[in-house]
Amino acid sequence: MHRPFYGMRTEQAPVDHLALCRAAAVVLPAHALFSHRSAAIIHRMPLPLHARPTDVEVSVFEPHRPPTLDGVAAHQLTPDDHRGAVVDGLSVIAAQDAWAQLSSRLSVPDLVAIGDYLVTGDEPYSGQPPPLTRFDLEAAVRRHGRRRGVRNLRLALERVRYGSLSPQESRLRLALEDAGLPAPTLNHPVRPAGERRVEAMIDLAYPHAMVAIEYLGDHHRTDPAVYRDDIRRRERLVEQGWFVVFVTAADDFDVVAMRVRRALYRSSPP
């Protein structure tokens, strides 16, 4: 038997932080809500690895007192600044307010990547509405206007965009913009001539210049089927006149920006 928290036993040790939160829910008071980084994980936000929590983070609203429990980092909040939600049976701070809570711990690019996820979800592929709208994020920034880290939050909100399907796509977009390049189109659909079906979705694109930028995560390399599909997709794009720039996690984004700049220069008319 394992004892993740005082007052409970489990047959198996929690396998990840989400399982740890579920275990904590058994012993936490009913008025406690998962918050901060724990809330980010429950809401499936793309939290960077360096920011992953070890202790479970929870909050209570005044006048309740924060619980004292080993393995739990507890906070006391003002009700007017936060909203609550229930996700998969867990009481948690609402996604927009959890995003605001992360502003004192994360960099602007990390906050942008999470904001992009919240206003996009996987809608470009699935057609399902994203978790939040930009209005939700704007309202959260107004409510948290006095919190530590709000400057980063405001800077991030200015750069959040719909369309990114991974945190690395978001960070690459920011790097291109910071290098002085135009803002690329995100997940640009490519259709065969005269057809409506989508043949490929380009991660970041400059359609006017026919320059495509594809970010290849590790699964593109380790999954043979994905690897073969990458090759076929590149061949189809090249056949249609696209210049394709592939990017991996090992690439320096500043160098990538120079590669993209050269590609745009070559595609420009003399």
Side-chain angles (χ1 to χ4, degrees):
M1 300 293 287
H2 298 267
R3 192 178 77 170
F5 300 100
Y6 180 80
M8 69 169 302
R9 296 287 192 276
T10 60
E11 291 185 1
Q12 296 180 342
V15 295
D16 55 22
H17 192 77
L18 181 58
L20 193 63
C21 290
R22 293 194 180 282
V26 176
V27 295
L28 286 169
H31 55 264
L33 288 78
F34 294 100
S35 63
H36 298 77
R37 291 174 296 171
S38 293
I41 290 174
I42 293 170
H43 286 293
R44 297 178 176 82
M45 299 180 194
L47 198 64
L49 289 178
H50 68 82
R52 295 270 170 163
T54 51
D55 289 348
V56 169
E57 294 190 271
V58 303
S59 292
V60 297
F61 293 132
E62 297 174 344
H64 291 294
R65 303 293 297 173
T68 56
L69 193 65
D70 287 344
V72 172
H75 311 265
Q76 187 182 51
L77 305 177
T78 301
D80 292 343
D81 293 341
H82 296 79
R83 303 292 184 271
V86 176
V87 177
D88 296 332
L90 296 175
S91 297
V92 60
I93 292 295
Q96 58 268 45
D97 294 312
W99 175 70
Q101 289 178 334
L102 298 173
S103 62
S104 62
R105 297 177 179 267
L106 299 184
S107 67
V108 171
D110 288 338
L111 290 169
V112 172
I114 293 174
D116 284 356
Y117 161 75
L118 290 174
V119 302
T120 303
D122 62 359
E123 186 177 38
Y125 279 132
S126 68
Q128 296 298 314
L132 299 176
T133 66
R134 187 177 183 85
F135 174 80
D136 294 322
L137 297 186
E138 291 171 349
V141 172
R142 287 194 297 271
R143 287 198 302 274
H144 295 269
R146 294 185 178 181
R147 72 173 293 111
R148 184 165 62 93
V150 71
R151 180 177 181 275
N152 279 357
L153 201 62
R154 291 190 179 115
L155 291 173
L157 179 62
E158 292 176 2
R159 306 191 70 178
V160 168
R161 277 183 57 191
Y162 173 89
S164 176
L165 287 172
S166 79
Q168 284 300 84
E169 289 179 22
S170 296
R171 295 184 181 99
L172 179 54
R173 168 179 69 85
L174 295 179
L176 297 178
E177 294 173 357
D178 289 342
L181 293 169
T185 299
L186 304 177
N187 284 287
H188 176 71
V190 176
R191 296 177 172 85
E195 298 185 29
R196 296 186 62 183
R197 68 180 178 89
V198 175
E199 186 175 43
M201 291 272 284
I202 301 173
D203 294 340
L204 301 97
Y206 294 96
H208 67 285
M210 297 293 284
V211 172
I213 307 161
E214 292 278 84
Y215 185 85
L216 304 182
D218 283 345
H219 69 286
H220 290 260
R221 174 179 54 83
T222 57
D223 188 320
V226 173
Y227 180 69
R228 289 192 296 269
D229 185 64
D230 288 338
I231 294 174
R232 288 193 293 267
R233 186 171 69 253
R234 183 183 188 280
E235 289 174 344
R236 291 194 298 268
L237 290 174
V238 170
E239 287 172 358
Q240 295 185 36
W242 288 86
F243 184 93
V244 184
V245 178
F246 280 119
V247 184
T248 71
D251 289 317
D252 183 318
F253 283 178
D254 291 336
V255 176
V256 172
M258 290 190 288
R259 291 165 55 197
V260 172
R261 189 183 303 277
R262 287 195 294 268
L264 292 173
Y265 178 80
R266 283 196 295 267
S267 68
S268 300

